[in-house]
């Protein structure tokens, strides 16, 4: 059984604290996105930032051959499009909703004024530094891990980003094919790792990917011993 512990505040929300984070949300205009919707498209002009209030998104980078590779996953409390806030800049990645998301669109001028008025420039700089590691595809970030660790880490991150109030927060909304593509692994290899995680109780049995024991999954990811 999973431990049922609600995930803590994360991302820019954690750096700002509740009061300033909610002030940022009020400074923007809320939009709702259905699964698969695009919030930011690679190559488009900047000019605003999204403050993600709920839901999860995938950050994807388009390669020269047209393929899109997973760069990172983000959840409630994160900023989206923060690397290209200014109107003169271009988006470096595409952001797609994994599930139903609510995000507040904050124009560049409003966002920079918010940082000044709420003494948040330092927190924003810290946030940008923390996100620099997400400039390479996810499969490259995990290249030194075993296939089992790579699969476990991806699944663990997906459920960790789920909203605490979500009924199905321990279900992974990815197919085995999507997991394989994200990690740069063969589907058969991913199927083997998932079968092992099910045998050992980290994942529930059945067609869907559902985390049944997050501690066991963390152990197989190499995060714990």
């Amino acid at each position: 059984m999973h431990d049922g512990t609600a995930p803590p505040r994360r991302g820019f929300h954690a750096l700002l604290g509740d009061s300033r984070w909610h002030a940022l949300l009020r400074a923007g205009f809320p939009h709702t996105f259905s699964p698969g919707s695009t919030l930011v498209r690679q190559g488009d002009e900047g000019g605003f930032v999204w403050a993600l209030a709920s839901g999860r998104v995938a950050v994807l980078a388009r390669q020269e051959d047209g393929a899109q590779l997973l760069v990172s996953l983000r959840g409630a409390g994160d900023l989206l499009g923060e690397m290209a806030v200014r109107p003169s800049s271009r988006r470096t990645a595409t952001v797609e909703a994994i599930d139903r998301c609510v995000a507040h669109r904050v124009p560049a001028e409003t966002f920079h004024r918010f940082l000044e008025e709420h003494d948040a420039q330092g927190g924003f700089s810290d946030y940008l530094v923390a996100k620099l590691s997400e400039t390479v595809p996810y499969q490259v970030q995990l290249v030194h891990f075993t296939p089992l660790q790579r699969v476990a880490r991806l699944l663990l991150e997906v459920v960790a980003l789920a909203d605490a109030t979500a009924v199905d927060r321990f279900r992974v909304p990815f197919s085995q094919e999507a997991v394989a593509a994200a990690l740069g692994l063969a589907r058969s290899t991913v199927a083997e790792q998932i079968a092992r995680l099910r045998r050992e109780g980290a994942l529930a049995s059945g067609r869907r990917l559902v985390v049944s024991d997050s501690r066991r999954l963390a152990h197989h990811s190499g995060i714990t011993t």
Side-chain angles (χ1 to χ4, degrees), residues 9-38:
R9 290 184 313 229
R10 64 177 313 281
F12 200 47
H13 183 175
L15 290 171
L16 289 180
D18 289 342
S19 178
R20 291 190 295 174
W21 172 253
H22 291 299
L24 176 61
L25 295 183
R26 290 193 298 271
F29 303 92
H31 296 257
T32 300
F33 297 90
S34 59
S37 299
T38 299

Side-chain angles (χ1 to χ4, degrees), residues 36-59:
S37 299
T38 299
L39 286 76
V40 171
R41 192 177 305 278
Q42 185 174 343
D44 284 356
E45 293 182 352
F48 64 91
V49 64
W50 290 109
L52 187 59
S54 65
R56 294 168 291 184
V57 301
V59 180

Side-chain angles (χ1 to χ4, degrees), residues 31-144:
H31 296 257
T32 300
F33 297 90
S34 59
S37 299
T38 299
L39 286 76
V40 171
R41 192 177 305 278
Q42 185 174 343
D44 284 356
E45 293 182 352
F48 64 91
V49 64
W50 290 109
L52 187 59
S54 65
R56 294 168 291 184
V57 301
V59 180
L60 306 163
R62 185 176 62 249
Q63 306 300 293
E64 292 183 358
D65 62 1
Q68 283 194 321
L69 300 180
L70 178 66
V71 172
S72 67
L73 300 169
R74 297 192 187 178
D78 271 319
L79 296 177
L80 309 172
E82 75 284 351
M83 297 292 184
V85 177
R86 299 186 182 282
S88 59
S89 56
R90 294 281 178 176
R91 303 300 188 187
T92 59
T94 294
V95 179
E96 293 184 355
I98 293 174
D99 36 32
R100 183 180 181 277
C101 296
V102 176
H104 294 240
R105 177 174 170 145
V106 185
E109 183 177 346
T110 302
F111 181 68
H112 288 296
R113 184 168 61 249
F114 167 86
L115 295 179
E116 293 178 3
E117 294 177 350
H118 292 82
D119 192 26
Q121 297 96 329
F124 182 56
S125 295
D126 291 343
Y127 185 76
L128 289 178
V129 170
K131 294 301 178 183
L132 286 178
S133 63
E134 298 177 356
T135 59
V136 295
Y138 203 91
Q139 58 183 256
V140 177
Q141 296 177 36
L142 301 183
V143 69
H144 297 298

Side-chain angles (χ1 to χ4, degrees), residues 3 69 78 100 106 112 120 129 146 171 190 193 207 212 218:
D3 54 26
L69 300 180
D78 271 319
R100 183 180 181 277
V106 185
H112 288 296
V129 170
T146 67
R171 182 177 71 85
V190 169
Q193 311 314 314
R207 296 182 61 184
S212 55

